[in-house]
Amino acid sequence: MGSEANSAAQTNSSTDRSASTDVVVIGSLSMDIVIRVPRLPGRGETLKGSTFDTFPGGKGNNQALAAARCGASVAMIGKVGADAYGQVLLDTLKDNGVNTNGMTKDSEQTTGIANIWVGPSGENSIVIVPNANNSMTPEYVSAKADLLSNAKVLLLQLEIPAETVLEAAKAARSKGLTVILNPAPAPETGLSAELLKNVDVIVPNETEAHLLTGINPTSPELAHQCARKLLELGPKGVILTLGERGALILESSQPDKPQTVAAFKVSVVDSTAAGDAFCGALAMRMAKGDSLAEAAKYGCAAGSLACTKAGAVPSLPRLPELEELIGSQ
Ligand code: RIB
């Protein structure tokens, strides 16, 4: 308990535990150190960047904020260091109305960091140093599991230890939540069968889906094959995000009938957190009772809008922007 003595939970005791939560996110928080580059550098190369910024980020944090900005009631379970970056991340969650009772400032760790290069077309390369995110243990999640009571959807990613992700999925399932897994960053060793059995909906991008199935979803037919293979691994639903090609949705009740959602056309400035915006908006709509295809439309709109601004958290859209974009098509 020593390292958790500064628990942010103690500073946020206003939560009404009887109120229901739409989305709980268990995952990472990082400070993003972002450099704009004329092109992504090659091995051994020194390049001159044009701008340097720090932005709140981390896939878990981005997804929690995306869901909250889309109108969901959200609780975040995670860890930051007891440092200035950690404080900024906590403040950002609170400023966006996210319940931080599941958050801890770990005095033995520094806050997670992501070093991001953004190229001229908005493409990026990211290196993360998990720091406090690595101290998210299964026991920590168990200790915060009351936040899953009266909640509808659990949203997970893979920037915290795999055994913790599994514990979270099992705890959520036992309480009747819908479990959504965004398998990012793509795991080189694959995902455990036990985890996949405890996931309701998996939301990989093309790279992650290729890595998990061996099928590169470069055409509609291959995307369908790839999604079928993901269904065979356990989840009842697959949403394959395909960038400019939108998303493909496949459900175990109708494995021969893929549905598609078209992407929204936008000018891309920075694609960082587009996938997180998609997942946050998707989770919000699923908590409100939408079908996967309906919810994925909000996901596509949120992902597209996130590409139009620099940075992770600053680019996450709010509900009126989403509705305007959806209404314009
Ligand atoms: O998905 C985008 C996020 O990935 C960034 O905010 C960065 O922190 C990395 O985790």
Side-chain angles (χ1 to χ4, degrees), residues 30 32 57-59 62 114 116 126 128 159 272-273 276 312:
S30 299
D32 291 351
K59 294 184 192 300
N62 297 341
I116 305 181
I126 304 181
I128 60 168
E159 287 186 332
T272 307
D276 299 329

Side-chain angles (χ1 to χ4, degrees), residues 87-104:
Q87 192 58 52
V88 171
L89 289 162
L90 276 175
D91 289 345
T92 306
L93 287 171
K94 288 179 189 168
D95 290 348
N96 283 270
V98 175
N99 174 351
T100 56
N101 284 0
M103 287 297 307
T104 291

Side-chain angles (χ1 to χ4, degrees), residues 170-194:
K170 283 162 75 175
R173 267 288 181 83
S174 73
K175 289 176 187 275
L177 279 76
T178 299
V179 178
I180 304 176
L181 172 67
N182 172 221
E188 282 174 22
T189 50
L191 293 173
S192 83
E194 195 181 5

